[in-house]
Amino acid sequence: MLASLSLILLCQLIGEAVVRGVSLPLPGPVLGLLLLLILLLARDRFTLLARGPLRNEGVETASKGLLAHLSLLFVPAGVGVVQKLDLLASHGIAIILVLALSVVVTLLATVLTFRVVSRLMKQPNAR
């Protein structure tokens, strides 16, 4: 499990290094996640890659372990909010409005994406 967790963190590190080195407007962990996805897809296609942490669903087991304790990762964010209560009090209404607007935009984007994908999925079946 340690090797699998190391592989996940290595993909994140590579993603962060590439994003900072090339100045991409993308979070490094997102690029690292895409790299890990490519590795897992390649592992399933080419059995030669199913070695070390990529064999026997090691990465999947490590990621399930991380997800099981995901709530612990919110503790630092909660501490940061408590430390900045004065800013929250002075800009609270603006923050609430921005959060509400971002939720609405996110929901609309999700619905739009779902509708586009569902129409694309229906097209091949119609032929």
PDB file of all heavy atoms in Angstrom, residues 12 23 41 43 51 79 106 109 116 124:
ATOM      1  N   GLN A  12       1.069  13.243  -8.594  1.00  0.00           N
ATOM      2  CA  GLN A  12       0.712  14.612  -8.206  1.00  0.00           C
ATOM      3  C   GLN A  12       1.936  15.519  -8.299  1.00  0.00           C
ATOM      4  O   GLN A  12       1.846  16.650  -8.784  1.00  0.00           O
ATOM      5  CB  GLN A  12       0.145  14.644  -6.799  1.00  0.00           C
ATOM      6  CG  GLN A  12      -0.241  16.044  -6.355  1.00  0.00           C
ATOM      7  CD  GLN A  12      -0.861  16.086  -4.977  1.00  0.00           C
ATOM      8  OE1 GLN A  12      -1.111  15.057  -4.365  1.00  0.00           O
ATOM      9  NE2 GLN A  12      -1.096  17.276  -4.488  1.00  0.00           N
ATOM     10  N   SER A  23       3.941  26.686 -17.040  1.00  0.00           N
ATOM     11  CA  SER A  23       2.984  27.759 -16.717  1.00  0.00           C
ATOM     12  C   SER A  23       1.607  27.493 -17.308  1.00  0.00           C
ATOM     13  O   SER A  23       1.000  28.359 -17.943  1.00  0.00           O
ATOM     14  CB  SER A  23       3.511  29.114 -17.193  1.00  0.00           C
ATOM     15  OG  SER A  23       4.715  29.430 -16.540  1.00  0.00           O
ATOM     16  N   LEU A  41      -5.178   3.195 -17.184  1.00  0.00           N
ATOM     17  CA  LEU A  41      -5.734   2.696 -18.443  1.00  0.00           C
ATOM     18  C   LEU A  41      -4.687   1.897 -19.225  1.00  0.00           C
ATOM     19  O   LEU A  41      -5.013   0.868 -19.822  1.00  0.00           O
ATOM     20  CB  LEU A  41      -6.266   3.860 -19.283  1.00  0.00           C
ATOM     21  CG  LEU A  41      -7.519   4.549 -18.745  1.00  0.00           C
ATOM     22  CD1 LEU A  41      -7.838   5.784 -19.565  1.00  0.00           C
ATOM     23  CD2 LEU A  41      -8.689   3.591 -18.720  1.00  0.00           C
ATOM     24  N   ARG A  43      -2.204   0.301 -17.881  1.00  0.00           N
ATOM     25  CA  ARG A  43      -2.008  -0.946 -17.138  1.00  0.00           C
ATOM     26  C   ARG A  43      -3.043  -1.987 -17.521  1.00  0.00           C
ATOM     27  O   ARG A  43      -2.737  -3.177 -17.663  1.00  0.00           O
ATOM     28  CB  ARG A  43      -2.096  -0.670 -15.640  1.00  0.00           C
ATOM     29  CG  ARG A  43      -2.026  -1.944 -14.813  1.00  0.00           C
ATOM     30  CD  ARG A  43      -2.667  -1.829 -13.477  1.00  0.00           C
ATOM     31  NE  ARG A  43      -4.088  -1.522 -13.569  1.00  0.00           N
ATOM     32  CZ  ARG A  43      -4.833  -1.262 -12.512  1.00  0.00           C
ATOM     33  NH1 ARG A  43      -4.301  -1.216 -11.319  1.00  0.00           N
ATOM     34  NH2 ARG A  43      -6.109  -1.010 -12.640  1.00  0.00           N
ATOM     35  N   ARG A  51       2.911  -4.175 -12.847  1.00  0.00           N
ATOM     36  CA  ARG A  51       3.972  -4.564 -11.918  1.00  0.00           C
ATOM     37  C   ARG A  51       4.044  -3.554 -10.778  1.00  0.00           C
ATOM     38  O   ARG A  51       3.593  -2.431 -10.910  1.00  0.00           O
ATOM     39  CB  ARG A  51       5.323  -4.604 -12.630  1.00  0.00           C
ATOM     40  CG  ARG A  51       5.391  -5.600 -13.743  1.00  0.00           C
ATOM     41  CD  ARG A  51       6.754  -5.511 -14.432  1.00  0.00           C
ATOM     42  NE  ARG A  51       6.791  -6.344 -15.605  1.00  0.00           N
ATOM     43  CZ  ARG A  51       7.133  -7.623 -15.610  1.00  0.00           C
ATOM     44  NH1 ARG A  51       7.444  -8.205 -14.487  1.00  0.00           N
ATOM     45  NH2 ARG A  51       7.143  -8.305 -16.722  1.00  0.00           N
ATOM     46  N   VAL A  79      -9.683  25.167  10.326  1.00  0.00           N
ATOM     47  CA  VAL A  79      -8.838  25.986  11.200  1.00  0.00           C
ATOM     48  C   VAL A  79      -8.552  27.331  10.540  1.00  0.00           C
ATOM     49  O   VAL A  79      -8.572  28.377  11.194  1.00  0.00           O
ATOM     50  CB  VAL A  79      -7.523  25.239  11.536  1.00  0.00           C
ATOM     51  CG1 VAL A  79      -6.534  26.156  12.242  1.00  0.00           C
ATOM     52  CG2 VAL A  79      -7.814  24.020  12.392  1.00  0.00           C
ATOM     53  N   THR A 106     -22.307  26.159 -11.191  1.00  0.00           N
ATOM     54  CA  THR A 106     -21.839  24.773 -11.224  1.00  0.00           C
ATOM     55  C   THR A 106     -22.977  23.819 -11.546  1.00  0.00           C
ATOM     56  O   THR A 106     -22.816  22.891 -12.357  1.00  0.00           O
ATOM     57  CB  THR A 106     -21.193  24.389  -9.879  1.00  0.00           C
ATOM     58  OG1 THR A 106     -20.118  25.278  -9.617  1.00  0.00           O
ATOM     59  CG2 THR A 106     -20.696  22.967  -9.886  1.00  0.00           C
ATOM     60  N   ALA A 109     -23.847  24.195 -15.230  1.00  0.00           N
ATOM     61  CA  ALA A 109     -22.824  23.563 -16.071  1.00  0.00           C
ATOM     62  C   ALA A 109     -22.937  22.045 -16.019  1.00  0.00           C
ATOM     63  O   ALA A 109     -22.777  21.362 -17.040  1.00  0.00           O
ATOM     64  CB  ALA A 109     -21.433  24.006 -15.633  1.00  0.00           C
ATOM     65  N   VAL A 116     -25.743  17.275 -22.868  1.00  0.00           N
ATOM     66  CA  VAL A 116     -24.939  17.107 -24.077  1.00  0.00           C
ATOM     67  C   VAL A 116     -24.430  15.683 -24.189  1.00  0.00           C
ATOM     68  O   VAL A 116     -24.522  15.052 -25.251  1.00  0.00           O
ATOM     69  CB  VAL A 116     -23.773  18.125 -24.094  1.00  0.00           C
ATOM     70  CG1 VAL A 116     -22.761  17.780 -25.163  1.00  0.00           C
ATOM     71  CG2 VAL A 116     -24.304  19.528 -24.287  1.00  0.00           C
ATOM     72  N   PRO A 124     -25.319   7.289 -31.452  1.00  0.00           N
ATOM     73  CA  PRO A 124     -24.852   6.045 -32.080  1.00  0.00           C
ATOM     74  C   PRO A 124     -25.909   4.947 -32.094  1.00  0.00           C
ATOM     75  O   PRO A 124     -25.955   4.114 -32.979  1.00  0.00           O
ATOM     76  CB  PRO A 124     -23.649   5.628 -31.234  1.00  0.00           C
ATOM     77  CG  PRO A 124     -23.200   6.871 -30.577  1.00  0.00           C
ATOM     78  CD  PRO A 124     -24.431   7.703 -30.383  1.00  0.00           C
TER      79      PRO A 124
END
